[in-house]
Amino acid sequence: MTLIVEKFGGTSVGSVERINAVADHLIEKHQAGEQLVVVVSAMSGETNRLIKLAHEICAKPPAREMDVLVSTGEQVTIALLAMALQQRGTQARSYTGGQVSIKTDRVHSKARILGIDSAKILEDLALGRIVVVAGFQGIDDGGNITTLGRGGSDTTAVAVAAAINAAECRIYTDVDGIYTTDPRVVPEARRLKSITAEEMLELASLGAKVLQTRSVEFANKYRVPLRVLSSFEKGEGTLITYDDETNSMEAPLISGIAFQRDEAKLTIRGIPDHPGVAHTVLGPISESHINVDVILQNASEKGFTDLTFTVPRGDYEASLEILQRLVGELNAQDVKGDDKIAKISVVGVGMRSHSGVANTMFKTLADNDINIQMISTSEIKISVIIDESKLETAVQALHAAFGLDKESG
Ligand code: ADP
Ligand code: ASP
Ligand code: MG
């Protein structure tokens, strides 16, 4: 028997029909000899609906109760799927994250999985049952329900696969694999047969939500065989490969383009420049669990400097408040902000051995009259911050400029 973890995202379990279709699919695999653990998301739209409900009750819902609330979406799906399987004469059991001991830290809404006790799952599998596990949720050491951040069911699936040493983890979604960029924005985007974990990690952390970043980190750490496929049509999907399996000489220059819409930019201007300025400004931001992304400090002029950085748009107001408090403390001039910016990144391990990518990127944006506000680079990616209204045009232009619509090699 082969041990497999399959994960179905929101759209794939978005209706009774879809849940029935998933049950049929699972039974086919089960009968073909696979031992199955199935991780499911909430039905599409459900997590957003629950978040909205909470905000109708209070502007800042308490984090603990928020996790109790949003984790219910997945509990509905596991029960319905287990029923659909039993209805078809197949033994199945549903479990919440806590019931199969998906232990996390205590950071509500962004919890990290610390460990999984796989005993119960393995026991059920040995009895011939299909095990259905709620994605996105875990439990902390105080017995509180936690959630893993948006898209977290991917991480549950990969973590379970690592814990039970599954032969493969299959992520079923509403596209048939990983593309050169989001196919909803660039219709010419091309499905990749495979992608290195390193590149997928960059793409995910830079906004390609097809896999949650943390799931790729887990997969990479434990070398979990991972594939992204469509739950609507048959196909090979896209395989994630690991360093030791890839010949980097053959790597394409650019593998993909990722983008992030929900970004915001803040600048604190005219700060008296002395050692410790960045720490004084960014320290309180990070203490509020806000992730700072691109950071730019201007060369100081007459002893004063400006510090600009980006944060997720949802953290804009809180960041603005913190900076406004700091203006007086630091004797700075003022604070400026813009919450209508976006980030575009081109990613490729081939960049390591080739130059000129930045040039092509900057020229393409200039030719399309798109102003670059900030730039950040690493060995295998170049990111730029631009006005949000130019995002689609920029992604489409860059996709064409790097020839991503054409089969490489
Ligand atoms: P699920 O609900 O199954 O978890 P998600 O909506 O989280 O699905 O992720 C799938 C979506 O990711 C696709 O519908 C697509 O719009 C988007 N996406 C963004 N970048 C990419 C990419 N490079 N390749 C494929 N899909 C992408
Ligand atoms: N339901 C959660 C979300 O919408 C988790 C997931 O779907 O992966 O983010
Ligand atoms: Mg997802």
Side-chain angles (χ1 to χ4, degrees):
M1 295 277 265
T2 326
L3 201 50
I4 301 288
V5 174
E6 298 206 330
K7 177 255 170 180
F8 294 84
T11 330
S12 309
V13 290
S15 64
V16 166
E17 291 71 34
R18 292 302 313 156
I19 291 174
N20 280 327
V22 168
D24 290 335
H25 157 99
L26 292 171
I27 288 172
E28 200 180 298
K29 301 260 164 166
H30 195 236
Q31 284 172 350
E34 290 183 351
Q35 282 185 306
L36 291 168
V37 180
V38 192
V39 173
V40 283
S41 291
M43 294 168 80
S44 54
E46 180 62 9
T47 310
N48 288 342
R49 188 185 74 87
L50 294 167
I51 294 172
K52 191 163 163 277
L53 271 182
H55 285 107
E56 282 171 23
I57 302 269
C58 42
K60 283 190 184 159
R64 181 188 181 280
E65 305 316 322
M66 197 63 178
D67 275 355
V68 173
L69 176 71
V70 294
S71 63
T72 61
E74 273 71 13
Q75 190 166 338
V76 170
T77 332
I78 52 169
L80 291 175
L81 181 59
M83 284 178 201
L85 288 165
Q86 290 173 28
Q87 178 71 20
R88 285 160 174 74
T90 299
Q91 289 192 63
R93 275 273 172 99
S94 69
Y95 292 109
T96 63
Q99 285 176 314
V100 282
S101 301
I102 301 186
K103 297 267 168 55
T104 73
D105 61 19
R106 297 179 181 182
V107 186
H108 285 293
S109 88
K110 295 180 192 166
R112 291 167 77 94
I113 296 179
L114 302 175
I116 298 178
D117 177 6
S118 53
K120 193 180 241 134
I121 297 178
L122 293 172
E123 235 170 71
D124 274 324
L125 289 174
L127 291 169
R129 291 175 180 150
I130 294 182
V131 180
V132 185
V133 177
F136 181 52
Q137 54 178 260
I139 194 157
D140 72 10
D141 58 359
N144 302 294
I145 294 174
T146 53
T147 63
L148 311 177
R150 300 307 304 267
S153 300
D154 298 331
T155 302
T156 307
V158 177
V160 169
I164 64 172
N165 203 11
E168 189 166 65
C169 178
R170 304 174 187 143
I171 305 284
Y172 287 90
T173 183
D174 54 6
V175 284
D176 65 348
I178 296 161
Y179 278 67
T180 46
T181 192
D182 189 339
R184 295 185 203 285
V185 171
V186 181
E188 296 78 23
R190 208 166 34 81
R191 180 174 60 84
L192 301 164
K193 288 194 180 74
S194 68
I195 183 167
T196 65
E198 192 184 11
E199 285 167 312
M200 190 58 231
L201 199 54
E202 284 291 326
L203 286 176
S205 67
L206 295 166
K209 70 168 185 166
V210 59
L211 284 176
Q212 198 197 32
T213 310
R214 189 85 182 106
S215 73
V216 190
E217 276 171 15
F218 248 108
N220 198 29
K221 185 165 174 195
Y222 297 101
R223 293 291 195 259
V224 176
L226 179 63
R227 195 181 281 280
V228 175
L229 316 110
S230 164
S231 67
F232 294 82
E233 53 192 89
K234 289 211 185 311
E236 292 284 287
T238 302
L239 183 70
I240 311 295
T241 59
Y242 300 103
D243 290 349
D244 32 319
E245 302 163 357
T246 343
N247 181 351
S248 63
M249 294 298 285
E250 287 170 13
L253 186 55
I254 300 297
S255 290
I257 300 176
F259 51 86
Q260 195 118 43
R261 277 177 217 279
D262 297 336
E263 298 262 315
K265 181 175 83 168
L266 298 110
T267 304
I268 177 158
R269 295 196 299 180
I271 323 166
D273 194 12
H274 50 73
V277 163
H279 172 67
T280 317
V281 174
L282 299 173
I285 301 276
S286 98
E287 276 155 26
S288 307
H289 292 287
I290 296 173
N291 284 329
V292 170
D293 185 12
V294 185
I295 305 171
L296 189 80
Q297 183 174 341
N298 284 355
S300 102
E301 203 175 318
K302 295 189 185 119
F304 292 93
T305 188
D306 300 340
L307 189 76
T308 303
F309 58 92
T310 63
V311 295
R313 198 171 292 166
D315 294 325
Y316 178 64
E317 294 298 333
S319 308
L320 208 52
E321 262 172 44
I322 294 173
L323 290 198
Q324 267 147 2
R325 248 194 354 252
L326 285 172
V327 167
E329 220 172 278
L330 286 169
N331 241 332
Q333 185 191 324
D334 61 8
V335 173
K336 275 182 55 172
D338 181 355
D339 66 349
K340 296 282 180 296
I341 58 157
K343 183 169 76 171
I344 303 191
S345 312
V346 297
V347 172
V349 289
M351 255 187 241
R352 280 204 183 105
S353 44
H354 291 84
S355 56
V357 173
N359 245 340
T360 308
M361 185 170 191
F362 302 157
K363 180 173 189 314
T364 307
L365 295 172
D367 289 348
N368 284 274
D369 206 20
I370 296 166
N371 190 35
I372 299 173
Q373 302 179 14
M374 292 169 92
I375 301 170
S376 127
T377 64
S378 81
E379 230 190 341
I380 64 163
K381 73 117 206 273
I382 301 169
S383 304
V384 295
I385 300 289
I386 61 165
D387 193 292
E388 193 195 5
S389 63
K390 301 282 172 72
L391 181 66
E392 271 89 0
T393 315
V395 178
Q396 284 159 5
L398 290 170
H399 195 268
F402 286 107
L404 289 175
D405 42 354
K406 298 180 191 78
E407 194 76 42
S408 62

